[in-house]
PDB file of all heavy atoms in Angstrom:
ATOM      1  N   ARG A  13     -21.568  16.836   9.157  1.00 93.00           N
ATOM      2  CA  ARG A  13     -21.385  16.071  10.393  1.00 93.00           C
ATOM      3  C   ARG A  13     -21.492  14.554  10.168  1.00 93.00           C
ATOM      4  O   ARG A  13     -20.597  13.813  10.581  1.00 93.00           O
ATOM      5  CB  ARG A  13     -22.414  16.533  11.435  1.00 93.00           C
ATOM      6  CG  ARG A  13     -22.401  15.719  12.706  1.00 93.00           C
ATOM      7  CD  ARG A  13     -23.402  16.231  13.721  1.00 93.00           C
ATOM      8  NE  ARG A  13     -24.768  16.063  13.254  1.00 93.00           N
ATOM      9  CZ  ARG A  13     -25.844  16.517  13.885  1.00 93.00           C
ATOM     10  NH1 ARG A  13     -25.707  17.192  15.003  1.00 93.00           N
ATOM     11  NH2 ARG A  13     -27.054  16.326  13.407  1.00 93.00           N
ATOM     12  N   PRO A  14     -22.576  14.061   9.517  1.00 94.00           N
ATOM     13  CA  PRO A  14     -22.641  12.595   9.382  1.00 94.00           C
ATOM     14  C   PRO A  14     -21.491  12.007   8.563  1.00 94.00           C
ATOM     15  O   PRO A  14     -21.046  10.883   8.839  1.00 94.00           O
ATOM     16  CB  PRO A  14     -23.992  12.335   8.712  1.00 94.00           C
ATOM     17  CG  PRO A  14     -24.542  13.652   8.328  1.00 94.00           C
ATOM     18  CD  PRO A  14     -23.832  14.707   9.115  1.00 94.00           C
ATOM     19  N   ILE A  17     -18.589  11.695  10.947  1.00 96.00           N
ATOM     20  CA  ILE A  17     -18.810  10.632  11.941  1.00 96.00           C
ATOM     21  C   ILE A  17     -18.522   9.255  11.321  1.00 96.00           C
ATOM     22  O   ILE A  17     -17.951   8.378  11.968  1.00 96.00           O
ATOM     23  CB  ILE A  17     -20.263  10.719  12.483  1.00 96.00           C
ATOM     24  CG1 ILE A  17     -20.424  11.956  13.372  1.00 96.00           C
ATOM     25  CG2 ILE A  17     -20.670   9.452  13.224  1.00 96.00           C
ATOM     26  CD1 ILE A  17     -21.867  12.285  13.759  1.00 96.00           C
ATOM     27  N   LYS A  18     -18.887   9.081  10.065  1.00 98.00           N
ATOM     28  CA  LYS A  18     -18.716   7.767   9.421  1.00 98.00           C
ATOM     29  C   LYS A  18     -17.316   7.573   8.841  1.00 98.00           C
ATOM     30  O   LYS A  18     -16.872   6.435   8.657  1.00 98.00           O
ATOM     31  CB  LYS A  18     -19.799   7.577   8.358  1.00 98.00           C
ATOM     32  CG  LYS A  18     -21.169   7.390   9.003  1.00 98.00           C
ATOM     33  CD  LYS A  18     -22.303   7.257   8.029  1.00 98.00           C
ATOM     34  CE  LYS A  18     -23.586   6.878   8.793  1.00 98.00           C
ATOM     35  NZ  LYS A  18     -24.757   6.781   7.934  1.00 98.00           N
ATOM     36  N   LEU A  44     -22.404  22.392  12.152  1.00 83.00           N
ATOM     37  CA  LEU A  44     -22.630  21.223  12.999  1.00 83.00           C
ATOM     38  C   LEU A  44     -21.346  20.469  13.335  1.00 83.00           C
ATOM     39  O   LEU A  44     -21.362  19.506  14.087  1.00 83.00           O
ATOM     40  CB  LEU A  44     -23.623  20.266  12.333  1.00 83.00           C
ATOM     41  CG  LEU A  44     -25.086  20.705  12.426  1.00 83.00           C
ATOM     42  CD1 LEU A  44     -25.977  19.781  11.633  1.00 83.00           C
ATOM     43  CD2 LEU A  44     -25.548  20.758  13.864  1.00 83.00           C
ATOM     44  N   VAL A 169     -20.285   3.658  10.945  1.00 98.00           N
ATOM     45  CA  VAL A 169     -20.811   4.426  12.091  1.00 98.00           C
ATOM     46  C   VAL A 169     -20.839   3.553  13.346  1.00 98.00           C
ATOM     47  O   VAL A 169     -20.678   4.040  14.468  1.00 98.00           O
ATOM     48  CB  VAL A 169     -22.213   5.018  11.777  1.00 98.00           C
ATOM     49  CG1 VAL A 169     -23.323   3.987  11.904  1.00 98.00           C
ATOM     50  CG2 VAL A 169     -22.509   6.217  12.660  1.00 98.00           C
ATOM     51  N   THR A 187     -35.059  13.958  16.704  1.00 98.00           N
ATOM     52  CA  THR A 187     -34.306  14.847  15.807  1.00 98.00           C
ATOM     53  C   THR A 187     -35.101  15.006  14.524  1.00 98.00           C
ATOM     54  O   THR A 187     -35.792  14.089  14.090  1.00 98.00           O
ATOM     55  CB  THR A 187     -32.869  14.351  15.452  1.00 98.00           C
ATOM     56  OG1 THR A 187     -32.940  13.364  14.421  1.00 98.00           O
ATOM     57  CG2 THR A 187     -32.117  13.817  16.654  1.00 98.00           C
ATOM     58  N   HIS A 189     -34.710  17.253  10.623  1.00 94.00           N
ATOM     59  CA  HIS A 189     -34.010  18.272   9.835  1.00 94.00           C
ATOM     60  C   HIS A 189     -34.115  18.103   8.326  1.00 94.00           C
ATOM     61  O   HIS A 189     -33.707  18.965   7.576  1.00 94.00           O
ATOM     62  CB  HIS A 189     -32.514  18.250  10.181  1.00 94.00           C
ATOM     63  CG  HIS A 189     -31.797  17.072   9.590  1.00 94.00           C
ATOM     64  ND1 HIS A 189     -31.965  15.807  10.040  1.00 94.00           N
ATOM     65  CD2 HIS A 189     -30.927  16.985   8.546  1.00 94.00           C
ATOM     66  CE1 HIS A 189     -31.216  14.981   9.342  1.00 94.00           C
ATOM     67  NE2 HIS A 189     -30.589  15.664   8.414  1.00 94.00           N
ATOM     68  N   ARG A 190     -34.620  16.992   7.825  1.00 92.00           N
ATOM     69  CA  ARG A 190     -34.452  16.697   6.403  1.00 92.00           C
ATOM     70  C   ARG A 190     -35.177  17.692   5.516  1.00 92.00           C
ATOM     71  O   ARG A 190     -36.277  18.142   5.836  1.00 92.00           O
ATOM     72  CB  ARG A 190     -34.965  15.295   6.077  1.00 92.00           C
ATOM     73  CG  ARG A 190     -34.195  14.187   6.725  1.00 92.00           C
ATOM     74  CD  ARG A 190     -34.389  12.912   5.978  1.00 92.00           C
ATOM     75  NE  ARG A 190     -33.711  12.998   4.704  1.00 92.00           N
ATOM     76  CZ  ARG A 190     -32.400  12.801   4.558  1.00 92.00           C
ATOM     77  NH1 ARG A 190     -31.656  12.492   5.578  1.00 92.00           N
ATOM     78  NH2 ARG A 190     -31.859  12.905   3.372  1.00 92.00           N
ATOM     79  N   PRO A 219     -32.327  17.892  20.242  1.00 98.00           N
ATOM     80  CA  PRO A 219     -31.233  18.794  19.856  1.00 98.00           C
ATOM     81  C   PRO A 219     -31.695  19.518  18.585  1.00 98.00           C
ATOM     82  O   PRO A 219     -31.956  18.888  17.567  1.00 98.00           O
ATOM     83  CB  PRO A 219     -30.053  17.844  19.569  1.00 98.00           C
ATOM     84  CG  PRO A 219     -30.490  16.494  20.049  1.00 98.00           C
ATOM     85  CD  PRO A 219     -31.987  16.486  19.997  1.00 98.00           C
ATOM     86  N   HIS A 221     -31.859  21.391  15.285  1.00 95.00           N
ATOM     87  CA  HIS A 221     -31.008  21.596  14.102  1.00 95.00           C
ATOM     88  C   HIS A 221     -30.936  23.088  13.769  1.00 95.00           C
ATOM     89  O   HIS A 221     -31.945  23.791  13.881  1.00 95.00           O
ATOM     90  CB  HIS A 221     -31.607  20.808  12.930  1.00 95.00           C
ATOM     91  CG  HIS A 221     -30.651  20.564  11.811  1.00 95.00           C
ATOM     92  ND1 HIS A 221     -30.400  21.503  10.844  1.00 95.00           N
ATOM     93  CD2 HIS A 221     -29.876  19.510  11.528  1.00 95.00           C
ATOM     94  CE1 HIS A 221     -29.504  21.007   9.992  1.00 95.00           C
ATOM     95  NE2 HIS A 221     -29.170  19.800  10.383  1.00 95.00           N
ATOM     96  N   GLU A 240     -29.216  22.591  22.274  1.00 96.00           N
ATOM     97  CA  GLU A 240     -28.382  22.873  21.097  1.00 96.00           C
ATOM     98  C   GLU A 240     -27.945  21.541  20.477  1.00 96.00           C
ATOM     99  O   GLU A 240     -27.909  20.522  21.180  1.00 96.00           O
ATOM    100  CB  GLU A 240     -27.108  23.618  21.533  1.00 96.00           C
ATOM    101  CG  GLU A 240     -27.340  25.015  22.070  1.00 96.00           C
ATOM    102  CD  GLU A 240     -27.831  25.955  20.995  1.00 96.00           C
ATOM    103  OE1 GLU A 240     -27.209  25.975  19.910  1.00 96.00           O
ATOM    104  OE2 GLU A 240     -28.847  26.631  21.224  1.00 96.00           O
ATOM    105  N   PRO A 241     -27.567  21.532  19.171  1.00 95.00           N
ATOM    106  CA  PRO A 241     -26.997  20.307  18.601  1.00 95.00           C
ATOM    107  C   PRO A 241     -25.853  19.824  19.486  1.00 95.00           C
ATOM    108  O   PRO A 241     -25.058  20.630  19.971  1.00 95.00           O
ATOM    109  CB  PRO A 241     -26.474  20.762  17.235  1.00 95.00           C
ATOM    110  CG  PRO A 241     -27.249  21.976  16.909  1.00 95.00           C
ATOM    111  CD  PRO A 241     -27.592  22.633  18.210  1.00 95.00           C
ATOM    112  N   MET A 242     -25.787  18.523  19.728  1.00 95.00           N
ATOM    113  CA  MET A 242     -24.822  18.016  20.710  1.00 95.00           C
ATOM    114  C   MET A 242     -23.561  17.484  20.036  1.00 95.00           C
ATOM    115  O   MET A 242     -23.615  16.947  18.935  1.00 95.00           O
ATOM    116  CB  MET A 242     -25.482  16.889  21.526  1.00 95.00           C
ATOM    117  CG  MET A 242     -26.629  17.409  22.360  1.00 95.00           C
ATOM    118  SD  MET A 242     -27.649  16.095  23.066  1.00 95.00           S
ATOM    119  CE  MET A 242     -26.576  15.450  24.321  1.00 95.00           C
ATOM    120  N   GLU A 243     -22.432  17.615  20.734  1.00 93.00           N
ATOM    121  CA  GLU A 243     -21.193  16.975  20.295  1.00 93.00           C
ATOM    122  C   GLU A 243     -21.467  15.480  20.190  1.00 93.00           C
ATOM    123  O   GLU A 243     -22.206  14.925  21.005  1.00 93.00           O
ATOM    124  CB  GLU A 243     -20.097  17.186  21.343  1.00 93.00           C
ATOM    125  CG  GLU A 243     -19.555  18.587  21.410  1.00 93.00           C
ATOM    126  CD  GLU A 243     -18.750  18.936  20.168  1.00 93.00           C
ATOM    127  OE1 GLU A 243     -18.052  18.058  19.637  1.00 93.00           O
ATOM    128  OE2 GLU A 243     -18.850  20.084  19.732  1.00 93.00           O
ATOM    129  N   TYR A 244     -20.828  14.837  19.215  1.00 95.00           N
ATOM    130  CA  TYR A 244     -21.156  13.440  18.934  1.00 95.00           C
ATOM    131  C   TYR A 244     -21.040  12.542  20.171  1.00 95.00           C
ATOM    132  O   TYR A 244     -21.958  11.770  20.468  1.00 95.00           O
ATOM    133  CB  TYR A 244     -20.266  12.921  17.801  1.00 95.00           C
ATOM    134  CG  TYR A 244     -20.637  11.522  17.371  1.00 95.00           C
ATOM    135  CD1 TYR A 244     -21.916  11.239  16.901  1.00 95.00           C
ATOM    136  CD2 TYR A 244     -19.728  10.479  17.447  1.00 95.00           C
ATOM    137  CE1 TYR A 244     -22.271   9.957  16.505  1.00 95.00           C
ATOM    138  CE2 TYR A 244     -20.080   9.193  17.056  1.00 95.00           C
ATOM    139  CZ  TYR A 244     -21.361   8.936  16.583  1.00 95.00           C
ATOM    140  OH  TYR A 244     -21.716   7.669  16.200  1.00 95.00           O
ATOM    141  N   ASN A 245     -19.973  12.666  20.921  1.00 94.00           N
ATOM    142  CA  ASN A 245     -19.787  11.769  22.070  1.00 94.00           C
ATOM    143  C   ASN A 245     -20.877  11.947  23.120  1.00 94.00           C
ATOM    144  O   ASN A 245     -21.348  10.982  23.721  1.00 94.00           O
ATOM    145  CB  ASN A 245     -18.413  11.987  22.723  1.00 94.00           C
ATOM    146  CG  ASN A 245     -17.319  11.444  21.837  1.00 94.00           C
ATOM    147  OD1 ASN A 245     -17.587  10.640  20.942  1.00 94.00           O
ATOM    148  ND2 ASN A 245     -16.092  11.886  22.059  1.00 94.00           N
ATOM    149  N   PHE A 247     -23.897  13.094  22.424  1.00 97.00           N
ATOM    150  CA  PHE A 247     -25.156  12.617  21.828  1.00 97.00           C
ATOM    151  C   PHE A 247     -25.266  11.097  21.943  1.00 97.00           C
ATOM    152  O   PHE A 247     -26.332  10.559  22.253  1.00 97.00           O
ATOM    153  CB  PHE A 247     -25.258  13.078  20.371  1.00 97.00           C
ATOM    154  CG  PHE A 247     -26.571  12.714  19.754  1.00 97.00           C
ATOM    155  CD1 PHE A 247     -27.742  13.371  20.142  1.00 97.00           C
ATOM    156  CD2 PHE A 247     -26.677  11.702  18.810  1.00 97.00           C
ATOM    157  CE1 PHE A 247     -28.973  13.027  19.595  1.00 97.00           C
ATOM    158  CE2 PHE A 247     -27.903  11.349  18.264  1.00 97.00           C
ATOM    159  CZ  PHE A 247     -29.056  12.018  18.657  1.00 97.00           C
ATOM    160  N   ILE A 248     -24.158  10.421  21.735  1.00 98.00           N
ATOM    161  CA  ILE A 248     -24.160   8.951  21.817  1.00 98.00           C
ATOM    162  C   ILE A 248     -24.486   8.490  23.243  1.00 98.00           C
ATOM    163  O   ILE A 248     -25.215   7.517  23.440  1.00 98.00           O
ATOM    164  CB  ILE A 248     -22.799   8.389  21.324  1.00 98.00           C
ATOM    165  CG1 ILE A 248     -22.692   8.575  19.811  1.00 98.00           C
ATOM    166  CG2 ILE A 248     -22.624   6.930  21.691  1.00 98.00           C
ATOM    167  CD1 ILE A 248     -23.830   7.966  19.024  1.00 98.00           C
ATOM    168  N   LEU A 251     -28.142   8.809  23.490  1.00 98.00           N
ATOM    169  CA  LEU A 251     -28.781   7.757  22.683  1.00 98.00           C
ATOM    170  C   LEU A 251     -28.732   6.404  23.394  1.00 98.00           C
ATOM    171  O   LEU A 251     -29.672   5.620  23.325  1.00 98.00           O
ATOM    172  CB  LEU A 251     -28.039   7.669  21.344  1.00 98.00           C
ATOM    173  CG  LEU A 251     -28.833   7.256  20.116  1.00 98.00           C
ATOM    174  CD1 LEU A 251     -30.053   8.135  19.921  1.00 98.00           C
ATOM    175  CD2 LEU A 251     -27.920   7.312  18.892  1.00 98.00           C
ATOM    176  N   SER A 259     -37.300  10.293  14.666  1.00 98.00           N
ATOM    177  CA  SER A 259     -36.289  11.005  13.870  1.00 98.00           C
ATOM    178  C   SER A 259     -36.520  10.843  12.379  1.00 98.00           C
ATOM    179  O   SER A 259     -37.134   9.865  11.937  1.00 98.00           O
ATOM    180  CB  SER A 259     -34.902  10.435  14.228  1.00 98.00           C
ATOM    181  OG  SER A 259     -33.912  11.038  13.451  1.00 98.00           O
ATOM    182  N   ASP A 260     -35.997  11.799  11.613  1.00 97.00           N
ATOM    183  CA  ASP A 260     -35.968  11.607  10.159  1.00 97.00           C
ATOM    184  C   ASP A 260     -34.538  11.382   9.673  1.00 97.00           C
ATOM    185  O   ASP A 260     -34.265  11.437   8.476  1.00 97.00           O
ATOM    186  CB  ASP A 260     -36.614  12.804   9.427  1.00 97.00           C
ATOM    187  CG  ASP A 260     -35.916  14.124   9.697  1.00 97.00           C
ATOM    188  OD1 ASP A 260     -34.921  14.148  10.455  1.00 97.00           O
ATOM    189  OD2 ASP A 260     -36.362  15.148   9.137  1.00 97.00           O
ATOM    190  N   SER A 261     -33.634  11.115  10.588  1.00 96.00           N
ATOM    191  CA  SER A 261     -32.216  10.953  10.239  1.00 96.00           C
ATOM    192  C   SER A 261     -31.934   9.579   9.636  1.00 96.00           C
ATOM    193  O   SER A 261     -32.588   8.586   9.971  1.00 96.00           O
ATOM    194  CB  SER A 261     -31.384  11.142  11.513  1.00 96.00           C
ATOM    195  OG  SER A 261     -30.108  10.581  11.366  1.00 96.00           O
ATOM    196  N   GLY A 262     -30.924   9.523   8.784  1.00 95.00           N
ATOM    197  CA  GLY A 262     -30.489   8.239   8.238  1.00 95.00           C
ATOM    198  C   GLY A 262     -29.602   7.501   9.227  1.00 95.00           C
ATOM    199  O   GLY A 262     -29.869   6.350   9.602  1.00 95.00           O
ATOM    200  N   GLY A 263     -28.553   8.184   9.676  1.00 96.00           N
ATOM    201  CA  GLY A 263     -27.568   7.555  10.555  1.00 96.00           C
ATOM    202  C   GLY A 263     -28.178   7.018  11.840  1.00 96.00           C
ATOM    203  O   GLY A 263     -27.768   5.978  12.363  1.00 96.00           O
ATOM    204  N   LEU A 264     -29.198   7.713  12.327  1.00 98.00           N
ATOM    205  CA  LEU A 264     -29.820   7.265  13.583  1.00 98.00           C
ATOM    206  C   LEU A 264     -30.508   5.913  13.431  1.00 98.00           C
ATOM    207  O   LEU A 264     -30.609   5.149  14.388  1.00 98.00           O
ATOM    208  CB  LEU A 264     -30.801   8.320  14.084  1.00 98.00           C
ATOM    209  CG  LEU A 264     -30.154   9.386  14.942  1.00 98.00           C
ATOM    210  CD1 LEU A 264     -31.096  10.540  15.210  1.00 98.00           C
ATOM    211  CD2 LEU A 264     -29.697   8.805  16.256  1.00 98.00           C
ATOM    212  N   GLU A 267     -27.564   3.594  14.078  1.00 98.00           N
ATOM    213  CA  GLU A 267     -27.076   3.660  15.467  1.00 98.00           C
ATOM    214  C   GLU A 267     -28.088   3.062  16.440  1.00 98.00           C
ATOM    215  O   GLU A 267     -27.719   2.319  17.348  1.00 98.00           O
ATOM    216  CB  GLU A 267     -26.780   5.118  15.840  1.00 98.00           C
ATOM    217  CG  GLU A 267     -25.561   5.644  15.111  1.00 98.00           C
ATOM    218  CD  GLU A 267     -25.447   7.162  15.145  1.00 98.00           C
ATOM    219  OE1 GLU A 267     -26.490   7.845  15.236  1.00 98.00           O
ATOM    220  OE2 GLU A 267     -24.336   7.670  15.063  1.00 98.00           O
ATOM    221  N   ARG A 284     -32.860   2.474   4.061  1.00 98.00           N
ATOM    222  CA  ARG A 284     -32.347   1.487   5.023  1.00 98.00           C
ATOM    223  C   ARG A 284     -33.478   0.508   5.352  1.00 98.00           C
ATOM    224  O   ARG A 284     -34.042   0.518   6.432  1.00 98.00           O
ATOM    225  CB  ARG A 284     -31.822   2.214   6.267  1.00 98.00           C
ATOM    226  CG  ARG A 284     -30.577   3.034   5.947  1.00 98.00           C
ATOM    227  CD  ARG A 284     -30.307   4.070   7.005  1.00 98.00           C
ATOM    228  NE  ARG A 284     -29.052   4.761   6.777  1.00 98.00           N
ATOM    229  CZ  ARG A 284     -28.910   5.861   6.046  1.00 98.00           C
ATOM    230  NH1 ARG A 284     -29.959   6.402   5.445  1.00 98.00           N
ATOM    231  NH2 ARG A 284     -27.717   6.414   5.896  1.00 98.00           N
TER     232      ARG A 284
HETATM  233  N1  UDP B   1     -25.869  13.611  15.961  1.00 51.64           N
HETATM  234  C1  UDP B   1     -24.987  14.328  16.786  1.00 51.64           C
HETATM  235  N2  UDP B   1     -25.505  15.333  17.569  1.00 51.64           N
HETATM  236  C2  UDP B   1     -26.823  15.671  17.569  1.00 51.64           C
HETATM  237  C3  UDP B   1     -27.702  14.945  16.722  1.00 51.64           C
HETATM  238  C4  UDP B   1     -27.184  13.937  15.927  1.00 51.64           C
HETATM  239  O1  UDP B   1     -23.786  14.053  16.818  1.00 51.64           O
HETATM  240  O2  UDP B   1     -27.207  16.590  18.289  1.00 51.64           O
HETATM  241  C5  UDP B   1     -25.311  12.548  15.099  1.00 51.64           C
HETATM  242  C6  UDP B   1     -26.040  11.228  15.120  1.00 51.64           C
HETATM  243  O3  UDP B   1     -25.542  10.375  16.128  1.00 51.64           O
HETATM  244  C7  UDP B   1     -25.785  10.660  13.738  1.00 51.64           C
HETATM  245  C8  UDP B   1     -25.625  11.895  12.891  1.00 51.64           C
HETATM  246  O4  UDP B   1     -25.430  12.989  13.763  1.00 51.64           O
HETATM  247  O5  UDP B   1     -24.564   9.931  13.676  1.00 51.64           O
HETATM  248  C9  UDP B   1     -26.878  12.081  12.080  1.00 51.64           C
HETATM  249  O6  UDP B   1     -26.787  13.237  11.398  1.00 51.64           O
HETATM  250  P1  UDP B   1     -27.994  13.788  10.513  1.00 51.64           P
HETATM  251  O7  UDP B   1     -29.289  13.329  11.092  1.00 51.64           O
HETATM  252  O8  UDP B   1     -27.734  15.257  10.387  1.00 51.64           O
HETATM  253  O9  UDP B   1     -27.738  13.173   9.086  1.00 51.64           O
HETATM  254  P2  UDP B   1     -28.164  11.833   8.344  1.00 51.64           P
HETATM  255  O10 UDP B   1     -27.749  10.688   9.195  1.00 51.64           O
HETATM  256  O11 UDP B   1     -29.637  11.890   8.102  1.00 51.64           O
HETATM  257  O12 UDP B   1     -27.372  11.881   7.069  1.00 51.64           O
END
Side-chain angles (χ1 to χ4, degrees):
R13 175 178 66 186
I17 289 170
K18 290 177 172 178
L44 283 174
V169 79
T187 80
H189 74 288
R190 295 202 70 81
H221 198 278
E240 293 293 311
M242 295 168 72
E243 288 291 324
Y244 185 59
N245 288 342
F247 185 71
I248 289 304
L251 211 54
S259 177
D260 60 0
S261 160
L264 273 170
E267 290 164 332
R284 292 162 174 89

